[in-house]
Amino acid sequence: EAGVTQSPTHLIKTRGQQATLRCSPISGHTSVYWYQQALGLGLQFLLWYDEGEERNRGNFPPRFSGRQFPNYSSELNVNALELEDSALYLCASSLGTRVSTFGSGTRLTVV
Amino acid sequence: KQEVTQIPAALSVPEGENLVLNCSFTDSAIYNLQWFRQDPGKGLTSLLLIQSSQREQTSGRLNASLDKSSGRSTLYIAASQPGDSATYLCAVIMYSGGGADGLTFGKGTHLIIQP
Protein backbone atom coordinates (compact mmCIF):
# COMPACT_ATOMS: atom_id res chain seq x y z
CA GLU A 1 0.00 0.00 0.00
CA ALA A 2 1.45 3.36 -1.00
CA GLY A 3 1.87 5.84 1.82
CA VAL A 4 1.10 9.52 1.84
CA THR A 5 3.05 11.17 -0.96
CA GLN A 6 4.00 14.81 -1.12
CA SER A 7 5.49 16.84 -3.94
CA PRO A 8 7.77 18.53 -4.52
CA THR A 9 10.33 17.43 -1.95
CA HIS A 10 12.01 20.81 -1.99
CA LEU A 11 10.78 24.19 -3.20
CA ILE A 12 12.63 27.47 -3.36
CA LYS A 13 10.64 30.64 -3.91
CA THR A 14 11.24 34.35 -3.77
CA ARG A 15 9.46 36.56 -1.26
CA GLY A 16 6.10 37.69 -2.65
CA GLN A 17 5.66 34.69 -4.92
CA GLN A 18 3.10 31.91 -4.56
CA ALA A 19 3.87 28.31 -3.64
CA THR A 20 1.76 25.25 -4.36
CA LEU A 21 2.34 22.03 -2.45
CA ARG A 22 0.63 18.75 -3.24
CA CYS A 23 -0.41 15.73 -1.22
CA SER A 24 -1.83 12.34 -2.16
CA PRO A 25 -3.41 10.49 0.76
CA ILE A 26 -3.41 6.79 1.41
CA SER A 27 -6.00 5.05 -0.73
CA GLY A 28 -9.35 5.08 1.08
CA HIS A 29 -8.48 7.95 3.39
CA THR A 30 -10.87 10.87 3.05
CA SER A 31 -9.26 13.35 5.45
CA VAL A 32 -6.14 15.34 4.67
CA TYR A 33 -4.36 17.51 7.22
CA TRP A 34 -1.65 20.08 6.60
CA TYR A 35 0.93 21.07 9.21
CA GLN A 36 3.77 23.57 9.27
CA GLN A 37 7.00 22.82 11.08
CA ALA A 38 9.05 25.97 11.28
CA LEU A 39 12.40 26.04 13.03
CA GLY A 40 11.94 26.44 16.75
CA LEU A 41 8.15 26.53 16.61
CA GLY A 42 7.22 22.88 16.50
CA LEU A 43 4.44 21.39 14.43
CA GLN A 44 1.47 23.67 13.93
CA PHE A 45 -1.88 22.55 12.54
CA LEU A 46 -2.74 24.44 9.34
CA LEU A 47 -5.76 22.98 7.59
CA TRP A 48 -8.07 19.97 7.61
CA TYR A 49 -9.99 18.80 4.55
CA ASP A 50 -12.53 16.02 4.51
CA GLU A 51 -14.75 14.92 1.66
CA GLY A 52 -13.72 17.95 -0.36
CA GLU A 53 -14.61 20.50 2.30
CA GLU A 54 -12.42 22.60 4.56
CA ARG A 55 -13.40 21.46 8.07
CA ASN A 56 -11.05 23.43 10.24
CA ARG A 57 -8.03 25.68 10.07
CA GLY A 58 -5.35 26.65 12.50
CA ASN A 59 -4.22 30.12 13.46
CA PHE A 60 -2.77 31.11 10.08
CA PRO A 61 -3.54 34.08 7.81
CA PRO A 62 -5.88 33.71 4.81
CA ARG A 63 -2.96 33.65 2.39
CA PHE A 64 -2.61 30.02 3.45
CA SER A 65 -5.34 28.19 1.59
CA GLY A 66 -5.96 24.94 -0.15
CA ARG A 67 -8.41 22.54 -1.58
CA GLN A 68 -9.22 18.87 -1.77
CA PHE A 69 -10.04 17.21 -5.05
CA PRO A 70 -12.64 14.50 -5.76
CA ASN A 71 -9.90 11.86 -5.55
CA TYR A 72 -9.09 13.20 -2.04
CA SER A 73 -5.69 14.56 -3.02
CA SER A 74 -5.00 18.05 -1.78
CA GLU A 75 -3.15 21.23 -2.59
CA LEU A 76 -1.81 23.79 -0.17
CA ASN A 77 -1.32 27.27 -1.61
CA VAL A 78 0.69 29.96 0.11
CA ASN A 79 0.34 33.40 -1.43
CA ALA A 80 2.52 36.47 -0.98
CA LEU A 81 5.32 34.40 0.50
CA GLU A 82 7.22 35.81 3.45
CA LEU A 83 10.63 34.76 4.73
CA GLU A 84 9.06 33.25 7.85
CA ASP A 85 7.01 30.87 5.70
CA SER A 86 10.20 28.86 5.25
CA ALA A 87 9.43 25.53 6.90
CA LEU A 88 8.80 21.85 6.44
CA TYR A 89 5.18 21.35 5.40
CA LEU A 90 3.77 17.98 6.32
CA CYS A 91 0.61 16.37 5.04
CA ALA A 92 -1.22 13.60 6.84
CA SER A 93 -4.21 11.52 5.92
CA SER A 94 -6.68 9.52 7.94
CA LEU A 95 -10.04 7.85 7.74
CA GLY A 96 -12.27 9.45 10.32
CA THR A 97 -10.42 9.79 13.60
CA ARG A 98 -8.14 6.85 13.06
CA VAL A 99 -4.37 6.92 12.95
CA SER A 100 -2.96 9.82 10.99
CA THR A 101 -0.25 8.77 8.56
CA PHE A 102 2.24 11.41 7.55
CA GLY A 103 4.10 12.07 4.34
CA SER A 104 7.79 12.96 4.18
CA GLY A 105 7.07 16.64 3.71
CA THR A 106 7.93 19.51 1.40
CA ARG A 107 10.79 21.76 2.44
CA LEU A 108 9.84 25.30 1.41
CA THR A 109 12.58 27.90 1.40
CA VAL A 110 11.69 31.55 0.82
CA VAL A 111 14.58 33.78 -0.17
CA LYS B 1 -6.98 25.75 24.14
CA GLN B 2 -5.15 22.44 24.34
CA GLU B 3 -1.45 22.64 25.17
CA VAL B 4 0.96 19.73 25.05
CA THR B 5 4.26 19.79 26.92
CA GLN B 6 7.09 17.29 26.61
CA ILE B 7 9.81 16.80 29.15
CA PRO B 8 12.74 16.63 28.81
CA ALA B 9 13.42 18.69 25.70
CA ALA B 10 16.60 16.74 25.10
CA LEU B 11 18.09 13.55 26.48
CA SER B 12 21.39 11.79 25.90
CA VAL B 13 21.95 8.31 27.36
CA PRO B 14 24.32 5.38 26.81
CA GLU B 15 23.19 2.48 24.71
CA GLY B 16 21.28 -0.22 26.58
CA GLU B 17 19.55 2.01 29.09
CA ASN B 18 15.81 2.02 29.65
CA LEU B 19 14.30 5.47 29.43
CA VAL B 20 11.05 7.35 29.89
CA LEU B 21 9.78 10.30 27.89
CA ASN B 22 7.01 12.40 29.37
CA CYS B 23 4.07 14.18 27.81
CA SER B 24 1.40 16.26 29.53
CA PHE B 25 -1.71 17.95 28.16
CA THR B 26 -3.98 20.58 29.64
CA ASP B 27 -7.40 19.44 28.38
CA SER B 28 -8.19 15.87 29.37
CA ALA B 29 -11.11 15.57 26.92
CA ILE B 30 -8.94 13.99 24.27
CA TYR B 31 -10.07 11.49 21.67
CA ASN B 32 -6.73 9.75 21.41
CA LEU B 33 -3.01 10.29 21.91
CA GLN B 34 -0.30 9.40 19.47
CA TRP B 35 3.48 9.09 19.77
CA PHE B 36 5.58 9.79 16.70
CA ARG B 37 9.23 9.60 15.78
CA GLN B 38 10.85 12.15 13.51
CA ASP B 39 14.30 11.77 12.00
CA PRO B 40 16.13 15.00 11.02
CA GLY B 41 14.44 16.78 8.11
CA LYS B 42 12.02 13.93 7.59
CA GLY B 43 8.34 13.26 8.08
CA LEU B 44 6.74 11.57 11.05
CA THR B 45 6.51 7.87 11.77
CA SER B 46 3.65 6.82 14.00
CA LEU B 47 4.86 4.66 16.87
CA LEU B 48 1.85 4.08 19.08
CA LEU B 49 -1.74 5.25 19.26
CA ILE B 50 -3.69 5.12 22.51
CA GLN B 51 -7.45 5.56 22.37
CA SER B 52 -8.92 7.61 25.21
CA SER B 53 -10.51 4.47 26.68
CA GLN B 54 -7.18 2.63 26.81
CA ARG B 55 -4.46 2.77 29.45
CA GLU B 56 -1.48 1.58 27.44
CA GLN B 57 -0.17 0.24 24.15
CA THR B 58 2.93 -1.79 23.42
CA SER B 59 4.98 -2.32 20.30
CA GLY B 60 8.24 -4.20 20.58
CA ARG B 61 10.53 -2.29 22.94
CA LEU B 62 8.10 0.60 23.20
CA ASN B 63 5.35 0.99 25.75
CA ALA B 64 3.10 4.03 25.99
CA SER B 65 0.77 4.70 28.89
CA LEU B 66 -2.07 7.17 29.22
CA ASP B 67 -3.61 8.69 32.33
CA LYS B 68 -6.33 10.92 30.94
CA SER B 69 -7.52 12.21 34.30
CA SER B 70 -4.11 13.60 35.18
CA GLY B 71 -3.34 14.68 31.61
CA ARG B 72 -0.21 12.58 31.27
CA SER B 73 1.34 10.05 28.96
CA THR B 74 4.71 8.34 29.08
CA LEU B 75 6.70 6.57 26.40
CA TYR B 76 8.96 3.86 27.77
CA ILE B 77 11.85 2.67 25.59
CA ALA B 78 13.53 -0.51 26.74
CA ALA B 79 17.14 -1.44 25.99
CA SER B 80 17.82 1.68 23.94
CA GLN B 81 19.88 1.43 20.73
CA PRO B 82 21.73 4.07 18.67
CA GLY B 83 19.06 3.65 15.99
CA ASP B 84 16.52 5.01 18.46
CA SER B 85 18.15 8.44 18.19
CA ALA B 86 15.49 10.82 16.87
CA THR B 87 12.99 13.39 18.03
CA TYR B 88 9.94 11.89 19.73
CA LEU B 89 6.69 13.81 19.47
CA CYS B 90 3.55 13.41 21.48
CA ALA B 91 0.26 14.58 19.97
CA VAL B 92 -3.35 14.59 21.07
CA ILE B 93 -6.48 14.73 19.00
CA MET B 94 -9.66 16.34 20.18
CA TYR B 95 -13.13 15.55 18.98
CA SER B 96 -15.02 18.70 18.13
CA GLY B 97 -18.42 17.20 17.52
CA GLY B 98 -18.31 17.66 13.79
CA GLY B 99 -15.27 15.45 13.52
CA ALA B 100 -11.65 15.27 14.43
CA ASP B 101 -9.57 18.36 14.76
CA GLY B 102 -5.95 18.41 13.80
CA LEU B 103 -3.37 16.95 16.08
CA THR B 104 -1.93 19.21 18.76
CA PHE B 105 1.75 18.46 19.14
CA GLY B 106 4.29 18.92 21.86
CA LYS B 107 7.66 20.34 20.86
CA GLY B 108 9.28 16.96 21.19
CA THR B 109 12.11 15.28 23.04
CA HIS B 110 15.37 15.12 21.12
CA LEU B 111 16.90 11.77 22.05
CA ILE B 112 20.50 10.75 21.48
CA ILE B 113 21.64 7.22 22.28
CA GLN B 114 25.40 7.04 22.65
CA PRO B 115 27.05 3.88 21.26
Coordinates of all heavy atoms in Angstrom, one line a residue, chain B residues 38-112:
Chain B
Q38 N 10.4 11.4 14.7 CA 10.9 12.1 13.5 C 12.4 12.2 13.4 O 13.1 12.6 14.3 CB 10.3 13.6 13.6 CG 10.6 14.4 12.3 CD 10.0 15.8 12.3 OE1 9.9 16.4 13.4 NE2 9.6 16.3 11.1
D39 N 12.9 11.7 12.3 CA 14.3 11.8 12.0 C 14.6 13.1 11.3 O 13.7 13.7 10.7 CB 14.7 10.6 11.1 CG 14.6 9.3 11.9 OD1 15.4 9.0 12.7 OD2 13.7 8.5 11.6
P40 N 15.8 13.6 11.5 CA 16.1 15.0 11.0 C 15.7 15.3 9.6 O 16.0 14.6 8.7 CB 17.7 15.1 11.2 CG 18.0 14.1 12.2 CD 17.0 13.0 12.1
G41 N 14.9 16.3 9.4 CA 14.4 16.8 8.1 C 13.4 15.9 7.4 O 13.1 16.1 6.3
K42 N 12.9 14.9 8.2 CA 12.0 13.9 7.6 C 10.6 14.1 8.2 O 10.3 14.9 9.1 CB 12.5 12.5 7.9 CG 13.9 12.2 7.3 CD 13.9 12.2 5.8 CE 15.3 12.0 5.3 NZ 15.9 10.7 5.6
G43 N 9.7 13.3 7.6 CA 8.3 13.3 8.1 C 8.2 12.5 9.4 O 9.2 12.2 10.0
L44 N 7.0 12.2 9.8 CA 6.7 11.6 11.1 C 6.4 10.1 10.8 O 5.7 9.8 9.9 CB 5.6 12.2 11.8 CG 5.7 13.7 12.0 CD1 4.5 14.2 12.8 CD2 7.0 14.1 12.7
T45 N 6.9 9.3 11.8 CA 6.5 7.9 11.8 C 5.7 7.6 13.0 O 6.2 7.9 14.1 CB 7.8 7.0 11.8 OG1 8.5 7.3 10.6 CG2 7.4 5.5 11.8
S46 N 4.5 7.1 12.8 CA 3.7 6.8 14.0 C 4.2 5.6 14.7 O 4.5 4.6 14.1 CB 2.2 6.6 13.6 OG 1.4 6.2 14.7
L47 N 4.3 5.8 16.0 CA 4.9 4.7 16.9 C 3.7 3.9 17.6 O 3.6 2.7 17.5 CB 5.8 5.2 17.9 CG 7.1 5.9 17.3 CD1 7.9 6.5 18.5 CD2 8.0 4.9 16.6
L48 N 2.9 4.7 18.3 CA 1.8 4.1 19.1 C 0.7 5.0 19.1 O 0.9 6.2 19.2 CB 2.3 3.8 20.5 CG 3.3 2.7 20.7 CD1 4.0 2.7 22.0 CD2 2.6 1.3 20.5
L49 N -0.5 4.5 19.1 CA -1.7 5.3 19.3 C -2.5 4.7 20.4 O -2.7 3.5 20.5 CB -2.6 5.1 18.0 CG -4.0 5.7 18.1 CD1 -4.0 7.2 17.9 CD2 -5.0 5.1 17.1
I50 N -2.9 5.6 21.4 CA -3.7 5.1 22.5 C -5.1 5.8 22.4 O -5.1 7.0 22.4 CB -3.0 5.5 23.9 CG1 -1.6 5.1 23.9 CG2 -3.8 4.8 25.0 CD1 -0.9 5.4 25.2
Q51 N -6.1 5.0 22.3 CA -7.4 5.6 22.4 C -7.7 6.1 23.8 O -7.1 5.6 24.8 CB -8.5 4.5 22.0 CG -8.3 3.9 20.6 CD -8.8 4.8 19.5 OE1 -9.3 5.9 19.7 NE2 -8.7 4.3 18.3
S52 N -8.7 7.0 23.9 CA -8.9 7.6 25.2 C -9.4 6.6 26.2 O -9.3 6.8 27.4 CB -9.9 8.7 25.1 OG -11.2 8.2 24.6
S53 N -10.0 5.5 25.8 CA -10.5 4.5 26.7 C -9.4 3.5 27.1 O -9.7 2.6 28.0 CB -11.7 3.7 26.0 OG -11.2 3.1 24.8
Q54 N -8.3 3.6 26.5 CA -7.2 2.6 26.8 C -6.2 3.2 27.8 O -6.1 4.4 28.0 CB -6.4 2.3 25.5 CG -7.3 1.6 24.5 CD -6.6 1.3 23.2 OE1 -5.8 2.2 22.7 NE2 -6.8 0.2 22.6
R55 N -5.4 2.3 28.5 CA -4.5 2.8 29.5 C -3.0 2.7 28.9 O -2.2 3.4 29.3 CB -4.6 1.9 30.7 CG -5.9 1.9 31.4 CD -6.0 3.2 32.2 NE -5.1 3.3 33.3 CZ -5.1 4.2 34.2 NH1 -6.0 5.1 34.2 NH2 -4.2 4.3 35.2
E56 N -2.8 1.7 28.0 CA -1.5 1.6 27.4 C -1.5 0.8 26.1 O -2.5 0.1 25.8 CB -0.5 0.9 28.4 CG -0.8 -0.5 28.8 CD 0.2 -1.1 29.7 OE1 1.4 -0.7 29.7 OE2 -0.2 -1.9 30.6
Q57 N -0.4 1.0 25.4 CA -0.2 0.2 24.2 C 1.3 -0.1 24.1 O 2.2 0.6 24.6 CB -0.5 1.1 22.9 CG -2.0 1.3 22.6 CD -2.6 0.0 22.0 OE1 -1.9 -0.8 21.3 NE2 -3.8 -0.2 22.3
T58 N 1.6 -1.3 23.5 CA 2.9 -1.8 23.4 C 3.2 -2.2 22.0 O 2.4 -2.7 21.3 CB 3.1 -3.0 24.3 OG1 2.9 -2.6 25.7 CG2 4.5 -3.6 24.2
S59 N 4.5 -1.9 21.6 CA 5.0 -2.3 20.3 C 6.5 -2.6 20.4 O 7.3 -1.7 20.6 CB 4.7 -1.3 19.2 OG 5.3 -1.6 18.0
G60 N 6.8 -3.8 20.4 CA 8.2 -4.2 20.6 C 8.8 -3.7 21.9 O 8.3 -4.0 23.0
R61 N 9.9 -2.8 21.7 CA 10.5 -2.3 22.9 C 9.9 -1.0 23.5 O 10.4 -0.4 24.4 CB 12.0 -2.0 22.6 CG 12.8 -3.2 22.3 CD 14.3 -2.9 22.0 NE 14.5 -2.1 20.8 CZ 14.8 -0.8 20.7 NH1 14.9 -0.1 21.9 NH2 14.9 -0.2 19.6
L62 N 8.8 -0.6 22.8 CA 8.1 0.6 23.2 C 6.8 0.3 24.0 O 6.1 -0.6 23.6 CB 7.8 1.4 22.0 CG 8.9 1.8 21.0 CD1 8.4 2.6 19.8 CD2 10.0 2.6 21.7
N63 N 6.6 1.1 25.0 CA 5.3 1.0 25.7 C 4.9 2.4 26.1 O 5.6 3.2 26.6 CB 5.5 0.2 27.0 CG 4.3 0.2 27.9 OD1 4.0 1.1 28.7 ND2 3.5 -0.8 27.7
A64 N 3.6 2.7 25.7 CA 3.1 4.0 26.0 C 1.9 3.9 26.9 O 1.1 3.0 26.8 CB 2.7 4.7 24.7
S65 N 1.9 4.7 28.0 CA 0.8 4.7 28.9 C 0.0 6.0 28.8 O 0.6 7.0 28.4 CB 1.3 4.5 30.3 OG 2.0 5.6 30.7
L66 N -1.2 6.0 29.2 CA -2.1 7.2 29.2 C -2.9 7.2 30.5 O -3.5 6.3 30.9 CB -3.0 7.1 28.0 CG -4.1 8.2 28.0 CD1 -3.4 9.6 27.8 CD2 -5.1 8.0 26.8
D67 N -2.8 8.4 31.2 CA -3.6 8.7 32.3 C -4.4 10.0 32.0 O -3.9 11.1 32.2 CB -2.8 8.9 33.6 CG -3.6 9.1 34.8 OD1 -4.8 9.4 34.7 OD2 -3.1 9.0 35.9
K68 N -5.6 9.8 31.4 CA -6.3 10.9 30.9 C -6.7 11.9 32.1 O -6.6 13.1 31.9 CB -7.6 10.4 30.3 CG -7.8 10.9 28.9 CD -9.0 10.4 28.2 CE -10.3 10.8 28.9 NZ -11.5 10.7 28.1
S69 N -7.0 11.4 33.2 CA -7.5 12.2 34.3 C -6.4 13.2 34.8 O -6.7 14.3 35.2 CB -8.0 11.4 35.5 OG -7.0 10.5 36.0
S70 N -5.2 12.7 34.7 CA -4.1 13.6 35.2 C -3.5 14.3 34.0 O -2.5 15.1 34.2 CB -3.1 12.8 36.0 OG -2.4 11.9 35.1
G71 N -3.9 14.0 32.8 CA -3.3 14.7 31.6 C -1.9 14.3 31.3 O -1.1 15.2 31.0
R72 N -1.6 13.0 31.5 CA -0.2 12.6 31.3 C -0.1 11.3 30.4 O -1.0 10.5 30.5 CB 0.5 12.3 32.6 CG 0.6 13.5 33.5 CD 1.2 13.1 34.8 NE 1.2 14.1 35.8 CZ 2.1 15.1 35.9 NH1 3.1 15.1 35.1 NH2 2.0 16.0 36.8
S73 N 1.0 11.3 29.7 CA 1.3 10.0 29.0 C 2.8 9.9 29.1 O 3.6 10.8 29.2 CB 0.9 10.1 27.5 OG 1.4 9.0 26.8
T74 N 3.3 8.6 29.1 CA 4.7 8.3 29.1 C 5.0 7.4 28.0 O 4.2 6.5 27.6 CB 5.2 7.7 30.4 OG1 4.5 6.5 30.6 CG2 5.0 8.7 31.6
L75 N 6.2 7.5 27.4 CA 6.7 6.6 26.4 C 7.9 5.9 27.0 O 8.9 6.6 27.3 CB 7.1 7.3 25.1 CG 7.6 6.3 24.0 CD1 6.6 5.3 23.5 CD2 8.2 7.1 22.8
Y76 N 7.9 4.6 27.2 CA 9.0 3.9 27.8 C 9.7 3.1 26.6 O 9.1 2.4 25.8 CB 8.4 2.9 28.8 CG 9.4 2.0 29.4 CD1 10.2 2.4 30.5 CD2 9.6 0.6 28.9 CE1 11.1 1.5 31.1 CE2 10.5 -0.2 29.5 CZ 11.3 0.2 30.6 OH 12.2 -0.6 31.2
I77 N 11.0 3.3 26.6 CA 11.8 2.7 25.6 C 12.8 1.7 26.3 O 13.6 2.2 27.2 CB 12.6 3.7 24.7 CG1 11.7 4.6 24.0 CG2 13.5 2.9 23.7 CD1 12.4 5.7 23.2
A78 N 12.7 0.5 26.1 CA 13.5 -0.5 26.7 C 14.8 -0.8 25.9 O 14.8 -0.8 24.7 CB 12.8 -1.8 26.9
A79 N 15.9 -1.0 26.6 CA 17.1 -1.4 26.0 C 17.5 -0.6 24.8 O 17.5 -1.0 23.6 CB 17.1 -2.9 25.6
S80 N 17.7 0.7 25.0 CA 17.8 1.7 23.9 C 19.0 1.3 23.0 O 20.0 0.8 23.5 CB 18.0 3.1 24.5 OG 19.1 3.1 25.4
Q81 N 18.9 1.7 21.8 CA 19.9 1.4 20.7 C 20.2 2.7 20.0 O 19.4 3.6 19.9 CB 19.3 0.4 19.7 CG 18.9 -0.9 20.3 CD 18.2 -1.8 19.4 OE1 17.9 -1.4 18.2 NE2 17.8 -3.0 19.8
P82 N 21.4 2.8 19.4 CA 21.7 4.1 18.7 C 20.7 4.4 17.6 O 20.5 5.6 17.3 CB 23.1 3.7 18.1 CG 23.7 2.8 19.0 CD 22.6 1.9 19.5
G83 N 20.1 3.4 17.0 CA 19.1 3.7 16.0 C 17.8 4.3 16.5 O 16.9 4.7 15.8
D84 N 17.7 4.3 17.8 CA 16.5 5.0 18.5 C 16.7 6.5 18.5 O 15.8 7.3 18.9 CB 16.3 4.5 19.9 CG 15.9 3.0 20.0 OD1 15.3 2.5 19.0 OD2 16.2 2.4 21.0
S85 N 17.9 7.0 18.2 CA 18.2 8.4 18.2 C 17.2 9.1 17.2 O 17.2 8.8 16.0 CB 19.6 8.7 17.8 OG 20.5 8.1 18.8
A86 N 16.5 10.1 17.7 CA 15.5 10.8 16.9 C 14.8 11.8 17.8 O 15.1 11.8 19.0 CB 14.5 9.9 16.3
T87 N 13.9 12.6 17.2 CA 13.0 13.4 18.0 C 11.7 12.7 18.2 O 11.1 12.2 17.2 CB 12.8 14.8 17.4 OG1 14.0 15.5 17.3 CG2 11.8 15.6 18.2
Y88 N 11.2 12.6 19.4 CA 9.9 11.9 19.7 C 8.9 12.9 20.0 O 9.1 13.8 20.9 CB 10.1 10.9 20.9 CG 11.0 9.7 20.5 CD1 12.4 9.9 20.4 CD2 10.4 8.5 20.1 CE1 13.2 8.8 20.0 CE2 11.2 7.5 19.7 CZ 12.6 7.6 19.6 OH 13.3 6.6 19.2
L89 N 7.8 12.8 19.3 CA 6.7 13.8 19.5 C 5.4 13.1 20.0 O 5.1 12.0 19.6 CB 6.4 14.4 18.1 CG 7.5 15.3 17.5 CD1 7.3 15.4 16.0 CD2 7.5 16.7 18.1
C90 N 4.8 13.8 20.9 CA 3.5 13.4 21.5 C 2.5 14.3 20.9 O 2.7 15.5 20.7 CB 3.6 13.6 23.0 SG 2.1 13.5 23.9
A91 N 1.3 13.8 20.5 CA 0.3 14.6 20.0 C -1.1 14.1 20.4 O -1.3 12.9 20.6 CB 0.3 14.6 18.4
V92 N -2.0 15.0 20.7 CA -3.3 14.6 21.1 C -4.3 15.1 20.0 O -4.1 16.0 19.3 CB -3.7 15.2 22.4 CG1 -2.8 14.6 23.5 CG2 -3.8 16.7 22.4
I93 N -5.4 14.3 19.9 CA -6.5 14.7 19.0 C -7.8 14.9 19.8 O -8.1 14.1 20.6 CB -6.6 13.7 17.9 CG1 -7.6 14.2 16.8 CG2 -7.1 12.3 18.4 CD1 -7.5 13.4 15.5
M94 N -8.4 16.0 19.5 CA -9.7 16.3 20.2 C -10.8 16.0 19.2 O -10.6 15.9 18.0 CB -9.7 17.8 20.5 CG -8.5 18.4 21.2 SD -8.2 17.6 22.8 CE -9.5 18.3 23.8
Y95 N -12.0 15.8 19.8 CA -13.1 15.6 19.0 C -14.1 16.7 19.1 O -14.5 17.0 20.2 CB -13.8 14.3 19.4 CG -14.9 13.8 18.5 CD1 -14.7 13.2 17.3 CD2 -16.3 14.1 18.9 CE1 -15.7 12.8 16.5 CE2 -17.3 13.7 18.0 CZ -17.0 13.1 16.8 OH -18.0 12.7 16.0
S96 N -14.3 17.4 18.0 CA -15.0 18.7 18.1 C -16.5 18.6 17.8 O -17.1 19.5 17.4 CB -14.3 19.7 17.2 OG -14.4 19.3 15.9
G97 N -17.0 17.4 17.8 CA -18.4 17.2 17.5 C -18.7 17.0 16.1 O -19.4 16.0 15.7
G98 N -18.1 17.8 15.2 CA -18.3 17.7 13.8 C -17.3 16.7 13.2 O -17.3 16.4 12.0
G99 N -16.3 16.3 14.0 CA -15.3 15.4 13.5 C -14.0 15.7 14.2 O -13.9 16.5 15.2
A100 N -12.9 15.1 13.7 CA -11.7 15.3 14.4 C -11.0 16.6 14.0 O -10.9 16.9 12.9 CB -10.8 14.1 14.1
D101 N -10.4 17.2 15.0 CA -9.6 18.4 14.8 C -8.2 17.9 14.4 O -7.9 16.7 14.6 CB -9.5 19.3 16.0 CG -10.7 20.2 16.1 OD1 -11.4 20.4 15.0 OD2 -11.0 20.7 17.2
G102 N -7.3 18.8 14.0 CA -6.0 18.4 13.8 C -5.3 18.0 15.1 O -5.7 18.3 16.2
L103 N -4.2 17.3 14.9 CA -3.4 16.9 16.1 C -2.7 18.2 16.7 O -2.3 19.1 16.0 CB -2.3 16.0 15.6 CG -2.7 14.6 15.2 CD1 -1.7 13.9 14.3 CD2 -3.0 13.7 16.5
T104 N -2.7 18.2 18.0 CA -1.9 19.2 18.8 C -0.7 18.6 19.3 O -0.7 17.6 20.0 CB -2.7 19.8 19.9 OG1 -3.9 20.4 19.4 CG2 -1.9 20.9 20.7
F105 N 0.5 19.1 18.8 CA 1.8 18.5 19.1 C 2.5 19.1 20.3 O 2.4 20.4 20.5 CB 2.7 18.5 17.9 CG 2.3 17.6 16.8 CD1 1.4 17.9 15.9 CD2 3.0 16.3 16.8 CE1 1.1 17.0 14.9 CE2 2.7 15.4 15.8 CZ 1.7 15.8 14.8
G106 N 3.3 18.4 21.0 CA 4.3 18.9 21.9 C 5.5 19.3 21.0 O 5.5 19.0 19.8
K107 N 6.5 19.9 21.6 CA 7.7 20.3 20.9 C 8.7 19.2 20.7 O 9.7 19.4 20.0 CB 8.3 21.6 21.5 CG 7.4 22.8 21.4 CD 8.1 24.1 21.6 CE 7.1 25.2 21.2 NZ 7.7 26.5 21.5
G108 N 8.4 18.1 21.4 CA 9.3 17.0 21.2 C 10.4 16.8 22.2 O 10.8 17.8 22.9
T109 N 10.9 15.6 22.3 CA 12.1 15.3 23.0 C 13.1 14.8 22.1 O 12.9 13.8 21.3 CB 11.8 14.2 24.1 OG1 11.0 14.7 25.1 CG2 13.2 13.8 24.8
H110 N 14.3 15.5 22.0 CA 15.4 15.1 21.1 C 16.2 14.1 21.8 O 16.9 14.4 22.8 CB 16.2 16.4 20.7 CG 17.3 16.1 19.8 ND1 17.1 15.4 18.6 CD2 18.6 16.3 19.9 CE1 18.3 15.3 18.0 NE2 19.2 15.8 18.8
L111 N 16.2 12.9 21.4 CA 16.9 11.8 22.0 C 18.1 11.4 21.3 O 18.1 11.1 20.1 CB 15.9 10.6 22.1 CG 16.5 9.3 22.8 CD1 16.9 9.5 24.2 CD2 15.5 8.2 22.6
I112 N 19.3 11.3 22.0 CA 20.5 10.7 21.5 C 20.9 9.5 22.3 O 21.0 9.6 23.5 CB 21.6 11.8 21.5 CG1 21.2 13.0 20.6 CG2 22.9 11.2 21.1 CD1 22.2 14.2 20.7

